[in-house]
Amino acid sequence: MSKLERHDTDILILGTGGAGLFAALHAQKAAPDKKITIAVKGLIGKCGCTRMVQGGYNVALGRGDSVERHFMDTIKGGKWLPDQDMAWKLCKTAVERVRELENEVGCFFDRNVDGSLHQKAFAGQTFDRTVHKGDLTGIEIISRLMEQVLARPLEKLQEHRAISLIPARDGSGLAGVLFIDMRSGGFRFVRAKTVLMATGGGPTMYKFHTPSGDKTMDGLAMALRAGLPLRDMEMVQFHPTGLLAGEDTKMTGTVLEEGLRGAGGQLLNGHGHRFMFDLDEKGERATRDVVSRGIYDEMRKNNTSENGGVYISMGHLGPDTVRQKFKGMVKRCADSGFDLAAGKVEVVPTAHYFMGGVVVDPDTHTALPGLYVAGEDAGGAHGSNRLGGNGVANSTVYGGVAGDIMGADVQSMTVLRDPDETILRSEVERACHPLGKKPANIQMLRKALQDVMWDDVGVLRTGPGIERGLSRVTEIGAELMELGVAGENLAFNLSWHDWLNLRSLVEISEVIAKAALSRENSRGAHYREDFPESGEIESSYFTVARQSDGETKVTREAVRFTIVKPGETVLKDGEPESLVEAAQ
């Protein structure tokens, strides 16, 4: 503690994905005279999930489309579990945010011949509304945001890992955040009047996953230990088409974007049968949860491809057309030995996005004064299933909202809160736990966690399976606590950070399992084979997980239908239910 560096700022932003960078830009505009600090586990613009977005950005711009239609698609896609006020704000604000991305941030999206923004088809939507930059939309957005942020006089703490939210000594709210400076291995405590948590999700506790391995649910683990309520924690989204290239490449699990299916791509099992129309009238354009379950069921029946998945086929659309429309995807597949344009590519459901998160209001406030949450760390906007294209919209919309609100709130805050020194000390000791243990290789333990979560708390679940998985997760956590890392040199000590990563994953895996055990019906991404019915929509509830004295308990709260009730619509009289037809 004598070597703990201390630092003060007005606005502290954790994470530099779409939510964090947008928040920084908006906060500076709202509070130009305040000190703004952004902190990131990696490098600004070079890490996080927004950069990995391929498909695009949902926004109601096209002739015939409307915010109301986008909203209804979001509510129905989320199986009536979304916080409707958050969903409405997402759909409404996305219209102005995409204009801001182009006209102020400098993004340039694909266009039609008349100069209007091109919008492509994504599954589960009644209008083709996904704005994009080829199939590399995230790189365009994050690169332009990075340029804007780096050009501004913001304090930047790169390679700073947030490890704990430290409350105020007087219990009045959040005092600040404890970090590890990964470059030196030292600890730094940053006091702040307002803190945004935008660290992103990253369900990398699953065997197949899309985010990079350093995305390990750190934000939600910190929020859980701080006593904040987390909602919808059972809702892990599996993207149906993760590349399956074998166990010897990190390319396995990376997404082949939804636009492939939206454009007419076909899913074939190992026998060449196009199976999705056996399950849903929308075929491959059904929502992600439905398609993921369809693929997983083929895998269980051993109707599989060479590596144990299924195939996606695009060649019938014309190889030249596929190469033109999906350059990034064609190259990604070619790098792994597949010909997407003219052949077949093996795919598997892959853990992609996390609908669960901290309970927030539509202005990003949390139950802890001084803490705001946006992006994938926040729950509520998507309910039990996220529509493809709503993720990056959610991050940029609510990142901007958080920046505006923090910038306004900080104006009336005259003093910084003093931290609870006892908790600060205990959190430093907590992070140092493995440094006093005999060094060991923990990678096999992480693999064991991934196998358990995939097998027992994955695409298809049962009560006994979840209980078995929960028991094994607890055992893995106990085993981890007995393993150590070499502590002679803490600068860029990646083994230490691997250990901390796994601890976060174990903590959140336990919460996922407990929430899944609590929900005795099947809704969206959560499917219980022993409770296959969805339950009455009118009495929908969401799960809430809280930790007290180290024990996590799950309760239920009723969904509030604040804008539209089941069986009703906000569409105008006479409007058709859908303006697209499923590709046959």
Side-chain angles (χ1 to χ4, degrees):
M1 289 290 288
S2 62
K3 296 181 180 180
L4 175 69
E5 295 186 24
R6 296 180 185 251
H7 199 77
D8 289 345
T9 190
D10 292 308
I11 297 173
L12 174 62
I13 296 169
L14 308 181
T16 60
L21 293 182
F22 240 104
L25 296 178
H26 276 243
Q28 193 200 34
K29 187 179 294 186
D33 58 331
K34 300 298 182 180
K35 183 178 181 181
I36 301 170
T37 302
I38 53 178
V40 61
K41 193 176 180 180
L43 299 175
I44 294 172
K46 302 298 183 181
C47 62
C49 291
T50 302
R51 184 176 182 83
M52 301 170 72
V53 170
Q54 299 157 2
Y57 190 113
N58 286 346
V59 56
L61 291 176
R63 182 175 299 174
D65 199 7
S66 65
V67 171
E68 289 80 6
R69 182 173 291 280
H70 186 188
F71 171 77
M72 287 305 302
D73 286 349
T74 300
I75 297 302
K76 291 180 179 180
K79 305 299 188 286
W80 291 90
L81 287 191
D83 179 302
Q84 294 192 1
D85 296 322
M86 291 184 68
W88 178 261
K89 194 165 193 171
L90 164 64
C91 299
K92 183 175 184 293
T93 311
V95 179
E96 63 184 70
R97 195 69 83 233
V98 78
R99 299 299 192 197
E100 183 180 353
L101 278 166
E102 282 215 307
N103 299 327
E104 296 183 35
V105 177
C107 295
F108 191 81
F109 301 116
D110 288 1
R111 281 176 151 69
N112 299 308
V113 292
D114 64 358
S116 61
L117 286 171
H118 181 263
Q119 295 179 273
K120 61 183 175 181
F122 259 32
Q125 304 194 86
T126 62
F127 196 94
D128 297 344
R129 63 169 63 91
T130 307
V131 171
H132 62 104
K133 176 69 170 178
D135 51 7
L136 298 172
T137 309
I139 290 179
E140 174 69 11
I141 291 174
I142 211 70
S143 296
R144 303 292 82 77
L145 283 171
M146 177 181 67
E147 291 167 354
Q148 294 290 336
V149 166
L150 292 178
R152 285 166 168 73
L154 307 171
E155 183 177 54
K156 304 166 185 72
L157 299 178
Q158 302 188 81
E159 293 172 327
H160 273 64
R161 179 193 188 115
I163 59 172
S164 185
L165 304 172
I166 305 299
R169 182 173 56 200
D170 61 4
S172 61
L174 181 66
V177 179
L178 177 64
F179 294 90
I180 296 173
D181 180 345
M182 298 171 70
R183 299 165 300 178
S184 67
F187 290 91
R188 173 174 281 124
F189 174 65
V190 179
R191 285 197 305 171
K193 296 173 183 175
T194 61
V195 175
L196 173 65
M197 192 171 79
T199 64
T204 58
M205 67 282 284
Y206 287 92
K207 180 178 180 180
F208 302 108
H209 57 264
T210 65
S212 58
D214 64 336
K215 299 297 292 180
T216 51
M217 300 290 202
D218 298 325
L220 293 187
M222 290 191 298
L224 181 71
R225 296 200 312 277
L228 288 164
L230 309 182
R231 63 171 289 170
D232 300 319
M233 291 296 285
E234 71 275 26
M235 301 301 179
V236 181
Q237 182 170 78
F238 289 86
H239 195 292
T241 51
L243 181 64
L244 184 57
E247 295 185 359
D248 298 326
T249 172
K250 292 293 185 182
M251 294 297 288
T252 285
T254 56
V255 164
L256 298 186
E257 65 130 314
E258 192 157 299
L260 296 174
R261 290 182 290 118
Q266 298 178 356
L267 293 173
L268 310 173
N269 67 18
H271 305 298
H273 174 59
R274 189 180 180 190
F275 57 90
M276 273 310 301
F277 279 100
D278 299 339
L279 306 173
D280 192 287
E281 62 181 7
K282 296 178 182 177
E284 288 86 358
R285 285 192 64 168
T287 52
R288 290 175 172 180
D289 54 311
V290 174
V291 181
S292 291
R293 288 197 296 273
I295 294 173
Y296 191 85
D297 195 46
E298 292 298 307
M299 293 167 64
R300 290 200 306 184
K301 295 175 182 176
N302 291 321
N303 296 332
T304 59
S305 59
E306 180 179 348
N307 284 306
V310 300
Y311 296 105
I312 187 167
S313 175
M314 302 291 294
H316 59 283
L317 300 176
D320 290 340
T321 299
V322 175
R323 292 188 188 99
Q324 178 184 2
K325 288 186 175 181
F326 301 101
K327 294 178 182 178
M329 295 298 94
V330 170
K331 184 178 186 305
R332 171 168 292 185
C333 292
D335 289 343
S336 297
F338 295 108
D339 183 0
L340 177 66
K344 295 184 295 185
V345 179
E346 293 187 65
V347 294
V348 66
T350 181
H352 180 55
Y353 194 91
F354 203 68
M355 278 77 72
V358 180
V359 174
V360 298
D361 69 13
D363 284 336
T364 72
H365 294 108
T366 71
L368 181 61
L371 179 67
Y372 307 71
V373 179
E376 201 170 344
D377 280 333
H382 309 298
S384 65
N385 184 46
R386 177 179 69 84
L387 294 178
N390 266 6
V392 68
N394 178 56
S395 293
T396 55
V397 163
Y398 278 106
V401 169
D404 292 337
I405 297 298
M406 288 192 300
D409 289 353
V410 78
Q411 302 291 356
S412 61
M413 299 177 179
T414 57
V415 296
L416 292 156
R417 299 180 177 95
D418 291 324
D420 185 318
E421 294 290 340
T422 300
I423 293 178
L424 184 56
R425 178 183 296 275
S426 69
E427 289 296 326
V428 170
E429 293 172 351
R430 184 181 189 275
C432 290
H433 175 87
L435 305 180
K437 299 284 185 178
K438 183 179 178 180
N441 187 339
I442 67 167
Q443 295 308 315
M444 294 306 294
L445 208 55
R446 182 162 179 172
K447 183 179 185 302
L449 177 66
Q450 292 173 336
D451 288 341
V452 167
M453 291 299 288
W454 173 260
D455 292 337
D456 293 331
V457 200
V459 178
L460 297 177
R461 303 165 175 175
T462 65
I466 297 168
E467 290 178 339
R468 181 174 60 247
L470 181 57
S471 176
R472 183 64 182 121
V473 168
T474 302
E475 292 173 359
I476 290 171
E479 291 177 47
L480 177 65
M481 297 303 290
E482 297 304 315
L483 302 182
V485 298
E488 292 80 10
N489 183 359
L490 298 183
F492 285 115
N493 188 324
L494 299 186
S495 295
W496 184 24
H497 293 285
D498 284 343
W499 192 98
L500 295 171
N501 287 342
L502 185 52
R503 189 169 189 182
S504 292
L505 288 173
V506 167
E507 289 175 345
I508 299 304
S509 294
E510 179 185 6
V511 183
I512 292 171
K514 287 187 174 182
L517 199 59
S518 171
R519 179 172 286 282
E520 294 182 334
N521 60 33
S522 293
R523 194 72 75 89
H526 170 78
Y527 193 87
R528 286 279 297 266
E529 292 186 285
D530 47 350
F531 292 97
E533 300 301 321
S534 62
E536 293 185 2
I537 299 297
E538 293 77 10
S539 56
S540 295
Y541 63 86
F542 58 92
T543 61
V544 179
R546 288 185 176 88
Q547 187 178 95
S548 179
D549 297 325
E551 178 68 20
T552 299
K553 295 184 178 180
V554 179
T555 57
R556 300 173 180 178
E557 292 188 19
V559 174
R560 295 185 304 115
F561 303 117
T562 56
I563 297 176
V564 62
K565 295 179 181 178
E568 299 178 354
T569 183
V570 296
L571 296 178
K572 297 177 181 177
D573 291 343
E575 278 200 67
E577 185 174 330
S578 179
L579 296 177
V580 297
E581 295 181 1
Q584 299 294 318

